[in-house]
Structures are given as structure tokens and as C-alpha cells.
Amino acid sequence: MKQYVGLDVSQKETSVRVVNEVGQVLFEGKAKSDPGALTALLRKRAPHAERIGFETGAMASWLWHELRRVDHPVVCIDARHAHAALSVRMNKSDQNDARGLAELVRVGWYREVKVKSEKKSQKIRAMLVARPRLVAIRRDIENQVRSLIKEYGLLFPRAIGLQFRNQVRELLGEDHQLLSVIAPLLSIHEQVCKQQSKFDNEIRQLAKSDETARRLMTVPGVGVVTALTFRHTIDDPSRFRSGSSVGAYLGLTPRRSQSGGTDSNGKISRWGDRLLRTYLFEAATVLLSPDEEMVFSQGLGNEACQADWHEKGKSRHRPEDRRDPPLRLGRWHVVRLGSGEGSVILFLGSWSGPPD
């Protein structure tokens, strides 16, 4: 007799519902949200389980890998599809959600989500998510310090990192009344910069050791962070039927109006990976830059070329030479991906509008 199991996972406990192939409830109960406890319960109550389903969530990836390791036929269901099916029930509860998930896996009315590889992609993805947080903290501290000393008429040009701290200390001196307030902020700023630098070095090494990331970095505007984020967000390209499916997966699809027509304001949907969508928008902005030399120095991740650019006294935002015409919106642009016999020609259509 085939059995189908629905798991409604929460932080402490998981509601379990087991039904047979005609929908009859065979077992209903709870277990700790732990792979060991769930495995013991499933082997006792659902030894002939055909499918075991639960929604995507913070603990979904961990449970999927652990239950797969002991040969349980688990499937991870798209939370949006599950919500559409479970929201029609009169009473919202963990038990009813578990029963609804069991019915979904029984009849097959669900979309399975591909879970990323456990060791490599998840770790790199976590690093790429943590790095912007450090950048935001560093920027917030710099803005806060600028705001505090501006009230005393102390102004200085744009600077980040060590240069920022040195300029602040030089302005305050050794006897300024704000020194006791600013010093702790500068100490935290120094530690944040050190940890961000460690992330940057590790991300740079990972990108250089990955052939796919190196090829992606040959696209103008794509650096190590964008290339590595794209590489490990997609993870397994075989799960996409076409390139347009990747765009929809990332949320790069036009919004639909209530009347069913397509909005023409250039905005995109809110679904998909926000981090990668933001990096792709930044890469597209660089690609449309009016200065070709600046684009390639940023896109190839060549630090020596960028340093040479600054030594010549040229500005990133206001280059002296503007003879190369900018790429225009509403056109198709050709970009070579890679070099030599293995190179690929991409025809890029323009896209306008920042991510939501």
C-alpha cells in the first residue's frame, strides 16, 4: 500500500500527516524538527512512503539533504503553490497544513523545487549574502561619523576604509570633545573592514578557481561578485528548459496589470532572487556606460588596470575621453563570452528599470 506524507515544518515541532493512495488518514501527529526524530517516526508510521513533501523555508534545505541521506523520497514544494492550495481551507493550523501537503504529494499537484548542493553552493551563497551586510554596516558607520562631525563644521572629501579613519582622526586631533564618541565607531569600522577584506579575498580566489565564473567575468560589467553569485544561484543549469526560464526564476519578468495587460513602465516582478537581480542591474548599468575602457577594467576584475586608471588621474564617473558612443536602450548588443575557440557570442537585448 502506497503512503504519502505531508510535513508542516516549524522551528521546534513538525506536524506529520500520513495518508494512503485514496486519501484516507493513516496517522496524524508531531515530532521534533530534527532529521533523527522525523526518520524514526517515518520508518514506524510510513514505511512504504511513496513521497514525503514539505514547503520551502529556512530549514527546508537542511531537512531535504538529511532525509535524502537515509533514502527517504522527500520533495520540496514551492511555497507559493502550496500557499495557493492551503489557503482555501477554512481553518488554518499546522495539522491542516500537513494534511494539505500530504494531499498535494498524493495527487501530484505541486511544483518541486530544486535544492542546491549541500556543501559548496550553500556555503558560497551564505558568504555572498553576508558580504553586503558588512558593506552596509561599514557605509552606515561612515555616514553616521560624517553626520556627527559635520555639526562642528568638519568636512572632508569622499573616502572609505583606512583613508576614511585617518582623515577623521586628523580632523579631530587628540583633544576634540567628540573623540570619545567617534573612537568606538572607528574601532568597529576597522573590524568590519578587516572582515569584509577577508570575504573579498576568499570570493576572489573562488571566482578565479571556477572556470564558469572566469568565463562570466569576460562579460563587460561582470566582476567576481556578480559572476560567483550567478554561478551559485543557478547552481545546476540542467533544471532550466531555456534561457527565458532563468529570467523568470530571477524575477526578470514584466509586471501584469489587473486588466491582464503588460505594464510598460519598465519595472519587474518582485519574485526571484533579489541579490542576484541587483547585481545584474549594476552590471547592466556598467555595460551601458559611455566609456568602454572603464567598462572592461571593471568587468574583467583586473585590479592592476583599475589602479593604473586612478594613477593617471582619470575619474570613473567623468572620464576624459568620451569618443566612444554609449550603448543605447532599445537596441541589441553583441558581447563575446570567453576567448579563443571556446568563446560564445551573446546577443543581449536591452532592459530598463531598476529592481524593485
Side-chain angles (χ1 to χ4, degrees):
M1 179 180 63
K2 295 181 179 181
Q3 298 170 330
Y4 301 89
V5 184
L7 304 178
D8 186 71
V9 182
S10 61
Q11 187 171 351
K12 294 183 178 180
E13 287 186 330
T14 297
S15 296
V16 183
R17 182 70 67 101
V18 183
V19 299
N20 59 15
E21 50 193 357
V22 296
Q24 182 181 0
V25 178
L26 302 179
F27 171 77
E28 180 181 6
K30 291 186 176 182
K32 291 180 62 177
S33 296
D34 177 79
L38 290 174
T39 297
L41 186 145
L42 292 173
R43 286 177 175 174
K44 181 180 180 180
R45 298 295 184 176
H48 307 291
E50 185 75 10
R51 283 189 294 272
I52 303 171
F54 51 84
E55 297 178 72
T56 55
M59 302 172 63
S61 178
W62 172 59
L63 288 177
W64 189 91
H65 286 291
E66 293 297 327
L67 295 178
R68 278 279 184 176
R69 187 173 288 113
V70 291
D71 299 326
H72 283 301
V74 293
V75 293
C76 193
I77 303 174
D78 190 334
R80 288 175 290 173
H81 288 202
H83 175 74
L86 300 178
S87 60
V88 299
R89 294 182 175 273
M90 293 287 293
N91 299 319
K92 176 70 173 177
S93 64
D94 294 343
Q95 293 81 1
N96 286 340
D97 287 348
R99 181 169 185 175
L101 292 171
E103 291 294 333
L104 286 179
V105 296
R106 182 180 70 87
V107 300
W109 290 349
Y110 64 90
R111 175 179 293 178
E112 185 176 358
V113 174
K114 177 69 175 180
V115 180
K116 293 182 175 64
S117 57
E118 180 180 13
K119 295 182 179 179
K120 189 173 183 180
S121 286
Q122 287 188 355
K123 177 184 176 181
I124 296 176
R125 174 71 182 177
M127 187 187 309
L128 292 169
V129 171
R131 181 186 174 275
R133 178 57 58 186
L134 293 180
V135 174
I137 294 174
R138 174 185 58 78
R139 186 174 59 246
D140 290 343
I141 293 177
E142 291 172 354
N143 292 337
Q144 184 64 55
V145 171
R146 284 181 179 275
S147 177
L148 290 174
I149 66 176
K150 187 184 296 185
E151 297 179 0
Y152 290 82
L154 302 177
L155 304 176
F156 58 92
R158 180 183 180 273
I160 61 175
L162 179 60
Q163 184 182 7
F164 171 81
R165 295 192 299 273
N166 290 338
Q167 290 190 9
V168 172
R169 292 190 179 104
E170 183 179 352
L171 285 175
L172 294 180
E174 298 181 357
D175 56 352
H176 197 280
Q177 58 182 343
L178 274 183
L179 189 60
S180 60
V181 178
I182 300 298
L185 294 176
L186 294 182
S187 177
I188 297 174
H189 182 270
E190 182 177 2
Q191 294 300 319
V192 171
C193 289
K194 288 181 179 179
Q195 298 305 319
Q196 180 189 337
S197 179
K198 292 181 180 180
F199 277 156
D200 291 343
N201 292 335
E202 189 169 356
I203 289 172
R204 190 177 294 109
Q205 292 299 324
L206 288 170
K208 289 181 179 180
S209 62
D210 191 294
E211 182 180 357
T212 303
R214 290 202 308 270
R215 173 165 289 195
L216 288 171
M217 284 191 292
T218 62
V219 177
V222 176
V224 290
V225 176
T226 304
L228 208 61
T229 304
F230 186 89
R231 168 71 174 84
H232 292 283
T233 300
I234 301 302
D235 192 35
D236 182 12
S238 62
R239 59 195 177 108
F240 298 100
R241 294 181 180 180
S242 63
S244 59
S245 300
V246 177
Y249 174 75
L250 301 177
L252 298 175
T253 53
R255 287 180 173 176
R256 298 284 178 178
S257 63
Q258 294 182 354
S259 60
T262 303
D263 292 343
S264 57
N265 57 1
K267 293 186 178 180
I268 57 178
S269 68
R270 293 179 180 272
W271 299 114
D273 190 275
R274 182 180 180 85
L275 179 66
L276 177 56
R277 196 167 62 239
T278 302
Y279 285 149
L280 290 178
F281 171 72
E282 293 175 354
T285 302
V286 175
L287 181 61
L288 296 174
S289 170
D291 188 81
E292 184 178 357
E293 183 179 356
M294 179 185 67
V295 168
F296 276 88
S297 65
Q298 291 179 343
L300 295 175
N302 191 335
E303 296 179 356
C305 185
Q306 293 181 13
D308 180 66
W309 183 268
H310 289 290
E311 289 176 2
K312 292 179 181 179
K314 297 179 180 179
S315 170
R316 284 175 182 263
H317 303 287
R318 294 186 178 180
E320 297 175 358
D321 190 359
R322 292 182 178 271
R323 290 175 295 179
D324 295 325
L327 301 178
R328 297 172 179 267
L329 295 175
R331 301 285 183 87
W332 287 93
H333 307 294
V334 180
V335 175
R336 181 178 294 275
L337 189 61
S339 60
E341 296 181 356
S343 63
V344 179
I345 300 297
L346 298 181
F347 295 91
L348 303 179
S350 61
W351 164 71
S352 61
D356 293 336

